[in-house]
Amino acid sequence: MSVQTANRATPAPASGLSSRSAFAGVEAALTFITPSDTKPVFQSSAFTGGAPRVFFETEHHTVPIRDMRPIAGSLSLDREGFELLRHETTVQDLYDDAAIEGPYYREIEAMLRNALGASKVVIFDATRRSDNGPGAANPDGARGPAARVHVDYTEKSGPQRVKDLLGEDEAERLAQNGARIIQINVWRPIRGPVERSPLALADASSVPSEDLVATDQVFPNRVGEIYHLAHNPEHRWYYAPWMTADEVLLIKGWDSLNDGRARFTPHGAFNQPDTPATAAPRESIEVRTLVIIEN
């Protein structure tokens, strides 16, 4: 599955903030889970009221992270599990909750409908993040970048999320009718270009299923499940240097089809080497969606 070529992002202009090329790949440390014999668990920010509380070990590995811009025109949600698009928004203030839940959600819905041929798009969450101080403001608390490499949903929690959002009867109807349901995150810089804490994404086709570690995520009223990622030197990593506020990343978190195409796309923030001390904080917003495609 690939969106229309006309919406593809183009290479960003070189920034004067660093002497290195804006198009060069980097080597940087990512944060992986350390596999163990017991199922890992962590308490979410919604549960703690602050930073997540983690009850497992992590480890850092330096990996090559390629610039995706030269191949942006060929990236596919069904192969790599992510795409980089140019998509402008009319919303002037992405910290305005009413604007997010109104015109911004409508823009995202229209974009996904048109790009993916969706019969319905369900938007169920938006999260702002910043690496400045306590993090970016959200109705349920401040959020910083998610540094641990993870996938938002799993083989178990993806279908459960569909039932939670659509109801048991509608989920069953869609399944019986052969509908495809894809969980997609739409990630955008609030201000650009992104000068620090960019997002690294693994090519999903390079990630064996055994490297995905199911992890319980504790919320105030339920226990969800995500994947963390165990390190494997065979993983292929990408990022989009100097992303602007007129660009978005589409990130596949789960796909109801299990036929060899990408289903789970690991991602996480990283510290870019040689980032200037004067670099502006990273501010971003991610919108979580279910894209429903009925024949």
Side-chain angles (χ1 to χ4, degrees), residues 20-27 65-68 70 239 241-242 272:
R20 66 176 173 78
S21 169
F23 310 121
V26 298
E27 290 196 353
I65 307 175
R66 300 172 176 88
D67 177 5
M68 72 174 69
Y239 82 120
W242 315 115
Q272 205 163 241

Side-chain angles (χ1 to χ4, degrees), residues 51-239:
R53 189 174 296 119
V54 175
F55 301 97
F56 53 84
E57 298 296 322
T58 60
E59 55 195 44
H60 302 290
H61 292 273
T62 298
V63 301
I65 307 175
R66 300 172 176 88
D67 177 5
M68 72 174 69
R69 290 190 180 279
I71 61 169
S74 63
L75 293 172
S76 167
L77 284 168
D78 278 350
R79 186 176 53 250
E80 292 84 8
F82 59 88
E83 297 188 22
L84 175 67
L85 307 179
R86 182 165 296 280
H87 180 263
E88 298 182 4
T89 177
T90 62
V91 177
Q92 298 297 310
D93 182 4
L94 290 173
Y95 284 99
D96 182 339
D97 292 333
I100 294 301
E101 295 178 7
Y104 190 64
Y105 277 9
R106 290 194 293 271
E107 290 175 353
I108 297 301
E109 178 182 355
M111 183 264 289
L112 292 174
R113 278 180 176 272
N114 294 335
L116 304 179
S119 52
K120 185 176 183 179
V121 175
V122 178
I123 297 177
F124 59 91
D125 183 55
T127 302
R128 304 180 190 93
R129 299 184 186 273
S130 176
D131 63 353
N132 186 28
N138 294 277
D140 60 350
R143 297 286 185 275
R148 295 188 307 278
V149 177
H150 67 285
V151 182
D152 287 7
Y153 291 92
T154 70
E155 189 78 55
K156 173 184 174 182
S157 65
Q160 184 60 52
R161 195 60 166 149
V162 172
K163 294 175 184 177
D164 292 343
L165 292 167
L166 303 183
E168 296 271 355
D169 291 345
E170 177 64 1
E172 180 62 23
R173 183 192 71 80
L174 290 170
Q176 289 182 352
N177 291 344
R180 182 183 184 186
I181 305 176
I182 314 168
Q183 194 282 312
I184 294 177
N185 286 4
V186 182
W187 192 96
R188 180 195 300 274
I190 292 175
R191 296 183 177 87
V194 173
E195 300 175 27
R196 67 188 198 194
S197 299
L199 198 64
L201 302 103
D203 177 345
S205 68
S206 72
V207 178
S209 58
E210 56 265 27
D211 293 343
L212 298 170
V213 180
T215 305
D216 283 340
Q217 182 177 15
V218 180
F219 293 94
N221 58 352
R222 65 183 178 92
V223 177
E225 186 179 73
I226 70 169
Y227 285 130
H228 281 99
L229 186 67
H231 175 254
N232 183 331
E234 298 303 313
H235 298 158
R236 294 187 295 272
W237 293 96
Y238 290 89
Y239 82 120

Side-chain angles (χ1 to χ4, degrees), residues 36-56:
S36 67
D37 294 333
T38 59
K39 187 176 184 181
V41 61
F42 73 102
Q43 295 171 343
S44 68
S45 295
F47 184 91
T48 66
R53 189 174 296 119
V54 175
F55 301 97
F56 53 84

